[in-house]
Amino acid sequence: MEILTSETLGGTWGTILLPIRADESIDWARLDPALDILVAAGLDGLYAHGTAGEFHTLGEDEYDRVNELLARRCERRGVPFQIGASHMSAQTCLARVARARTLRPGAIQVTLPDWLPMSRGEVLRFLARVAAVADPVPLVLYNPPHAKTQVPAELYPVIRREVHTLNLFQPEPRGAHAPRPTLRSTGPQGEVEKGSLIGIKVAGGNAEWYARMRRHAGGIAIFVAGHDLATGRRHGAAGSYSNIAALSPAGAMAWQRMMAERPDAALDVERRIHAFFTEHIQPLQRGGYANSALDKFLAHVGDWADIGTRVRWPYASVDPALAERLRPLARERLPELFPQA
């Protein structure tokens, strides 16, 4: 698979959600058709082992099997893919990176080790070693609000300087991933400098937050929450590892096309998504359900594959009957996200 850069990384990416049996095992027979639907949905790419993929619950044999399924399907269909190698242990993360690299993903996603907060020097030391093991596959850093170590905007230029490779070949940007001049940096002879860290997944923020990120995170593709993508794109965000793709893969892409063709209409869809989430998703979040449970709940509302709402112990699963009751309401309030209907 073609290696991604900060300029070719963008758009709406969907994740693998794992159907879990009552005995806590992965239902591989149900995963196969769900993966077929994702591959055929027209998404900008697929990834495995984000929060919604419950990477924190997987044994290493399960981790490798999911990776092999993803790589085989995506290679066959020409769909870009990324592999998450995150783990609370830096040592386990490094071993996952080494194995993920052999499958030639477009990028490898990592989180920072999460038991103890890290100093800035430790963040750089961690990313430098991970990048060396992943080379030539670049990295995407997932730094959500609940991460114990929050990377400040002003650290990103240091990361770019200290953790990078210098490539003289610049692939031409294609399709929806048009070049973003404000996110491009060059070396002393004018060569294009490709950071080993090409992207970050963060929550996003207001206009001031985006302005600060534009000042400090040049050369890095910024990915924000799926339900905020219309606003994010207006401020220079590259894309999303999308919870809206969890709700409706085809609908997430229809909405992304609307952002380019009818941006004001796309913002209206975003407003209605926020209203739906405020009324029906945030109460579940306040009730203690983890993000992985909420993403599976959204997929069950969307009803595009037989995934179910069960997440692995010790986390609580949302009652599937609630999702089934919300299905007609979601289609009524957000018809743009359900083009098949």
Side-chain angles (χ1 to χ4, degrees):
M1 187 60 63
E2 181 178 329
I3 296 296
L4 292 164
T5 72
S6 63
E7 292 188 343
T8 60
L9 173 61
T12 295
W13 288 64
T15 189
I16 293 179
L17 298 165
L18 301 175
I20 303 297
R21 299 188 184 100
D23 66 359
E24 298 288 320
S25 63
I26 297 171
D27 191 334
W28 301 100
R30 288 162 59 205
L31 178 58
D32 269 344
L35 187 50
D36 285 337
I37 292 169
L38 285 172
V39 167
L43 292 159
D44 290 293
L46 301 181
Y47 67 102
H49 310 309
T51 302
E54 300 177 86
F55 74 87
H56 49 288
T57 72
L58 296 183
E60 298 309 289
D61 56 339
E62 295 171 320
Y63 174 82
D64 291 339
R65 185 170 176 180
V66 170
N67 289 348
E68 289 163 6
L69 284 172
L70 176 66
R72 187 162 58 246
R73 297 291 179 85
C74 289
E75 290 279 5
R76 187 185 308 150
R77 296 291 295 270
V79 175
F81 71 98
Q82 299 175 50
I83 293 175
S86 300
H87 200 275
M88 294 69 71
S89 158
Q91 288 70 27
T92 302
C93 170
L94 203 65
R96 287 185 170 188
V97 168
R99 300 200 307 278
R101 175 188 177 276
T102 65
L103 296 173
R104 302 182 302 162
I108 294 173
Q109 302 172 7
V110 295
T111 56
L112 298 173
D114 206 46
W115 178 245
L116 298 172
M118 302 177 75
S119 70
R120 294 190 178 196
E122 289 166 340
V123 169
L124 292 172
R125 188 152 61 246
F126 170 77
L127 290 174
R129 184 164 178 184
V130 170
V133 172
D135 187 66
V137 180
L139 303 180
V140 171
L141 176 63
Y142 179 22
N143 194 227
H146 61 266
K148 198 161 286 182
T149 302
Q150 291 294 312
V151 179
E154 60 270 18
L155 187 57
Y156 286 114
V158 184
I159 293 172
R160 287 285 297 171
R161 184 170 65 250
E162 300 295 331
V163 183
H164 77 273
T165 56
L166 190 65
N167 295 324
L168 302 183
F169 174 69
Q170 166 68 1
E172 289 296 322
R174 299 175 301 170
H177 313 320
R180 299 182 300 280
T182 59
L183 299 181
R184 183 184 179 112
S185 57
T186 58
Q189 282 78 46
E191 309 96 330
V192 176
E193 191 174 335
K194 305 294 194 313
S196 290
L197 181 71
I198 63 167
I200 53 175
K201 180 181 180 181
V202 288
N206 57 20
E208 181 182 348
W209 180 89
Y210 279 103
R212 186 166 64 252
M213 294 300 288
R214 285 194 297 271
R215 287 196 304 273
H216 293 293
I220 299 175
I222 298 173
F223 273 54
V224 296
H227 55 274
D228 293 330
L229 185 56
T231 295
R233 281 172 61 100
R234 286 198 164 193
H235 290 288
S240 176
Y241 300 114
S242 177
N243 57 348
I244 303 303
L247 173 66
S248 172
M253 290 308 296
W255 185 36
Q256 180 174 271
R257 290 190 292 272
M258 186 186 295
M259 293 173 203
E261 298 165 3
R262 295 187 292 140
D264 289 340
L267 285 172
D268 179 64
V269 173
E270 182 178 281
R271 178 189 60 78
R272 285 183 277 122
I273 290 172
H274 283 196
F276 184 83
F277 278 27
T278 297
E279 185 175 354
H280 299 291
I281 307 302
Q282 289 179 10
L284 295 172
Q285 192 171 42
R286 290 194 297 269
Y289 288 102
N291 286 344
S292 52
L294 298 178
D295 282 338
K296 282 189 174 178
F297 176 75
L298 287 174
H300 204 58
V301 171
D303 195 28
W304 54 270
D306 180 18
I307 294 165
T309 63
R310 186 185 298 276
V311 292
R312 273 186 162 171
W313 174 87
Y315 299 97
S317 305
V318 184
D319 184 350
L322 176 58
E324 289 153 17
R325 289 198 297 271
L326 284 180
R327 281 176 190 167
L329 183 62
R331 284 159 175 74
E332 175 189 335
R333 294 191 181 179
L334 302 166
E336 297 88 349
L337 299 184
F338 299 95
Q340 307 94 326

